[in-house]
Every structure is written in structure tokens, then in C-alpha cells.
Amino acid sequence: MPWNSQGGGGPWGGGGNNGGGRNPWGQRPQGGGGGGGNTSPDFDEMIRKGQERLKRLFPGGGGGYKGVVLIGIAIIGIWLLTGFYRVQPGEQGVTLLFGKWVGTTGPGLNYFLPAPIGEVIKPNVERTNQIEIGYRGNGTGTGGARDVPEESLMLTGDQNIIDIDYVVQWRISDAGAYLFNVRDPENTIKLAAESAIREVIGKTNLEEALTVGRVRVEEQTRTLLQSIMDGYASGIFIAEVKMQKVDPPRDVIDAFNDVQRARQDRDRSQNEALAYRNDIIPRAKGEAERLVLEARAYKDQVVKNAQGEAERFISVYNSYLTAKDVTTRRLYLETMQDVLKNSNKVILDQNGEGANGVVPYLPLPEIQKRANAGGNN
């Protein structure tokens, strides 16, 4: 047989070319001498020793396989217990089964199959995130923002160019849709916001966008952006769109400011003219109305006086026709009364001159003055 060498001692005997009875791995047989010893691993012995160790570990004597089953059950139980998880306030739990989104849980203690079968992702849904568009801040709040003209320059409804820097504030409304329906949420919001504000500004004049229309532009942009994100089923809520800077392009801002100052001067002059007009016109109207009323009153007075004089003359004439002497004397007396009533009068009694030592003199004006003074007192 080929295993029998001439030197004897079997295939690993002491003779032959193997030298000193070594086996092909360079080891001497444990049996010693020239006999053919077996050095291959004894698997039965290894299994037997493993069973003995299990028996010592489980002294109940139930056998090695029973112990293995118990260990397996314990491991599975511990693995299942790792499926409990807690969702903090302000978070949502997104449960995945073999990587597929199968549900969403709210705050509190929940359970789902543990890894590697199941997985739970817990994003914060109450934190407000912010995206800067048209500029990039330095993150310290100390200024020094870098302008991004390709994002901020846009065309207005009256074919002017405007430079707008703004921020978009957003939150997660549906964590599952946010994680699995949109690949890059922030970039999606940024691109959609640029499209929305350009559409709104394209329908707005430059003057309105710079002054009174800012709030309207912000609200319309937010509404349009929210409708776009809802169309993507993104699970994103747009909280607010705030315009930070609204100016003409930097190259023409000086000329634009000159135009604005000229418009302000024009508006101021117009306001002053309107104020003067509002002051002078009512006063002129009032004065004209007063003159008209006075003229009407004077007309009525003159007409009434003329009518009264005419009626009095007719009455006197009728009296004259009836009694000429009496009427003539009455007219004479009335005329003399009208002539003499406002003149200073002194009466001298010539017939009583020197009588009883009394001076024939009666100062009527002085008596009248004294009578008026006594009445006032």
C-alpha cells in the first residue's frame, strides 16, 4: 500500500523521509513509537463537552437542547422589549417596517417592532425653520450679509427691476410626508418660494411693492407657496414670508432716490396747495354768502321803507284833501321838529326880562344832559 513506507512505522512512522516519525504537519504522533496515531479533531468529544457545560449551566437536567431553546426565548424577549420608545412633546414618531413608512405616532410611550425589522424616526415638528433667499447672513446677527442677486432681482408688473431679500419660516406638519414625499425639503421650499414671489411681484407695480403693498405681497406669496407645498404632499406648513429689504437695483439706487425725493417734494407742494385751497375757498364762500345775505336784507329794508313812505305820503295827501289848513300846519310842525330836535337850543323870555330878579335864560341842552346823567345813575 502506498501508506506503508519502507522504514516502517505506518504512514507517519519513524523511518522514511519524514524524519523522526513526524506527520505531514511537522508534528510527532501522540501515540509515540512507530505506530500510526490519529491527531484529527474529535467533534464528538467537543459536542459532549458542550452538553456538559450546558448541563452545569441548567442544573435541572433537561438536556442541552432545552437550554438552547430557553436562551433563545430569553434573547427574543429582550429583543422585543427594545421596541418600546418615547416620543417627546413637539415630536412625531414615524414608524418604518423593513424601511417602509407604515404609520405616525404622537407624543408619549409607544411600541413598534425593534431593529432590524422596525425603526422609528422622531423629527421635531414644532421648531420653526428659516430659509434666507436673496442674501446669506453670517449667522451671528451682526450684519455683513452677502447679496445673492440671482435670487433677489426680479421684474415688476410695470417692467421695472426690484431687489428683494426675504426669509421663509416653515415647520413640519406631517413628519411622514416630510421624510418620504420630498427628497430635499429645504431646497424644494427655496425654489418654490422664488417662483411664488416672482409671480406675485410680476403682478405688482414697483411703487406699490416699495411702499403700501409690502404686506399684501408677503401674504399672497405665503398663500401661493403653501398651495405649492400642499400639491407636493410635502407635510410642510409655511408659517410666514418676511421681506427684509426691498430696493431698486444697486446700480440705479442713487438715481431712484433722487426721483423719490422729487416725488416727495411734489407731494409736499401738492399737499400745501390743497391745504391752502381748503382754507381759502371755504372762507371765500362764507364771505360771498354773507354779502349776498346782507344785500338781500338791504333790498328788503329799502323796499319796505319805500313802501312805508309811499303809504304815509298817500295818507297825508288824503288828509290834506280833507282838511288843508290843519294838514299844512301839522306838516310845518313836524318839519320844524325834525329840523330842531338835534340842535342846541336856548330860550330867552323877553317879556319877563328883569322880573323878580330871574335871568330870562333856559339852557335846554344842559338840562337834557343832566337828565340823561341822572337817569344813568
Side-chain angles (χ1 to χ4, degrees):
M1 294 182 64
W3 292 100
N4 294 327
S5 63
Q6 296 181 359
W12 298 301
N17 296 328
N18 290 328
R22 295 179 180 274
N23 57 26
W25 294 280
Q27 298 176 350
R28 294 181 181 275
Q30 293 181 0
N38 186 10
T39 61
S40 61
D42 191 350
F43 292 103
D44 293 337
E45 182 66 20
M46 293 175 62
I47 292 174
R48 184 181 61 80
K49 291 181 178 180
Q51 290 177 349
E52 291 178 354
R53 290 175 181 174
L54 288 175
K55 288 180 180 180
R56 289 195 299 270
L57 185 61
F58 299 97
Y65 293 104
K66 183 178 180 181
V68 172
V69 171
L70 293 176
I71 291 176
I73 293 174
I75 293 174
I76 292 173
I78 295 173
W79 174 74
L80 291 174
L81 288 176
T82 60
F84 288 99
Y85 65 95
R86 181 180 296 277
V87 179
Q88 300 296 333
E91 296 179 343
Q92 287 184 359
V94 181
T95 54
L96 311 179
L97 184 61
F98 296 109
K100 180 181 179 180
W101 173 36
V102 294
T104 304
T105 57
L109 184 64
N110 302 274
Y111 181 83
F112 192 68
L113 293 174
I117 297 176
E119 183 183 358
V120 180
I121 303 175
K122 297 179 286 185
N124 192 317
V125 297
E126 290 187 356
R127 182 178 65 247
T128 299
N129 307 280
Q130 180 169 295
I131 300 176
E132 299 172 346
I133 303 176
Y135 73 104
R136 299 294 182 272
N138 57 10
T140 61
T142 57
R146 178 174 60 87
D147 190 30
V148 185
E150 58 269 20
E151 297 177 0
S152 61
L153 294 178
M154 56 195 72
L155 197 64
T156 63
D158 52 356
Q159 304 301 312
N160 287 308
I161 298 177
I162 192 171
D163 188 357
I164 300 179
D165 295 343
Y166 58 102
V167 296
V168 178
Q169 296 180 348
W170 59 278
R171 295 191 295 270
I172 300 173
S173 59
D174 188 338
Y178 169 78
L179 293 172
F180 292 97
N181 291 348
V182 182
R183 177 174 296 179
D184 188 353
E186 289 197 5
N187 191 49
T188 301
I189 295 173
K190 179 176 173 295
L191 295 177
E194 290 184 33
S195 175
I197 197 169
R198 289 179 190 276
E199 179 177 342
V200 175
I201 290 296
K203 301 177 182 178
T204 307
N205 293 334
L206 176 65
E207 187 71 21
E208 184 181 1
L210 290 172
T211 55
V212 298
R214 295 185 58 167
V215 176
R216 182 186 61 81
V217 170
E218 292 176 346
E219 183 59 28
Q220 290 184 357
T221 302
R222 191 202 70 81
T223 302
L224 181 57
L225 178 57
Q226 184 66 67
S227 65
I228 295 174
M229 302 312 297
D230 292 342
Y232 295 155
S234 61
I236 293 173
F237 170 71
I238 305 300
E240 195 169 9
V241 176
K242 291 183 177 180
M243 292 195 292
Q244 304 296 309
K245 184 192 72 171
V246 183
D247 289 323
R250 184 178 302 174
D251 298 336
V252 298
I253 191 169
D254 292 336
F256 180 82
N257 290 334
D258 292 339
V259 173
Q260 290 298 107
R261 284 191 289 270
R263 288 180 177 177
Q264 291 175 0
D265 293 339
R266 180 199 65 187
D267 295 339
R268 186 182 68 254
S269 299
Q270 288 180 348
N271 293 333
E272 290 176 355
L274 289 174
Y276 177 75
R277 184 192 71 176
N278 295 333
D279 176 62
I280 196 66
I281 289 179
R283 288 196 292 113
K285 288 182 177 180
E287 185 68 18
E289 189 71 20
R290 185 182 64 81
L291 293 176
V292 170
L293 293 177
E294 289 180 355
R296 289 176 180 175
Y298 178 73
K299 181 191 75 171
D300 295 339
Q301 179 183 2
V302 171
V303 171
K304 296 295 184 182
N305 290 337
Q307 291 176 351
E309 289 293 331
E311 291 176 357
R312 189 178 69 83
F313 179 81
I314 293 173
S315 176
V316 172
Y317 178 71
N318 292 331
S319 299
Y320 177 77
L321 294 177
T322 304
K324 294 183 178 180
D325 295 336
V326 176
T327 303
T328 302
R329 186 171 182 80
R330 183 169 65 83
L331 290 174
Y332 172 77
L333 293 176
E334 289 178 355
T335 302
M336 294 303 296
Q337 181 180 358
D338 292 336
V339 172
L340 298 176
K341 67 179 180 181
N342 293 324
S343 62
N344 294 330
K345 295 174 287 296
V346 176
I347 298 176
L348 296 175
D349 187 6
Q350 295 180 356
N351 297 326
E353 182 177 357
N356 300 324
V358 178
V359 179
Y361 171 73
L362 183 62
L364 294 179
E366 293 297 329
I367 295 174
Q368 185 68 30
K369 290 180 181 180
R370 293 177 182 178
N372 294 333
N376 293 333
N377 292 330

